[in-house]
Amino acid sequence: MENDFDLENKENFKINPEVWLHTLLAITGDKDRKAEVVQRVAQKTGITPEKVNLIIATTISVLINQTRAN
């Protein structure tokens, strides 16, 4: 699979909000998968699971607003 982005060019890096929203909703809709993702992110970042959940919820909210604006 070819990458269509260049992380060296961070100023122009954009995500597809519809794809990310769909993915996050799929993850959070499955309790076991969500717990696994939250635990993994918490372990890798040192952020508490509660804050990881808050970050995910906030990200979903932002993405919903972005997809509605388009």
Side-chain angles (χ1 to χ4, degrees):
M1 174 180 233
E2 182 180 325
N3 290 330
D4 60 351
F5 55 87
D6 177 9
L7 292 178
E8 297 299 320
N9 189 2
K10 294 176 186 168
E11 293 82 29
N12 294 320
F13 178 76
K14 294 182 182 179
I15 65 165
N16 182 327
E18 289 89 5
V19 171
W20 277 76
L21 178 58
H22 178 77
T23 303
L24 287 174
L25 289 173
I27 290 169
T28 58
D30 179 328
K31 289 181 182 182
D32 293 334
R33 185 139 188 222
K34 180 181 179 184
E36 178 186 338
V37 168
V38 168
Q39 185 63 29
R40 186 179 299 172
V41 171
Q43 286 176 345
K44 290 187 180 246
T45 64
I47 298 172
T48 65
E50 293 79 16
K51 287 189 179 182
V52 172
N53 278 312
L54 179 60
I55 290 167
I56 292 171
T58 302
T59 302
I60 289 171
S61 178
V62 168
L63 292 172
I64 287 171
N65 289 332
Q66 275 192 322
T67 57
R68 286 184 183 163
N70 291 337

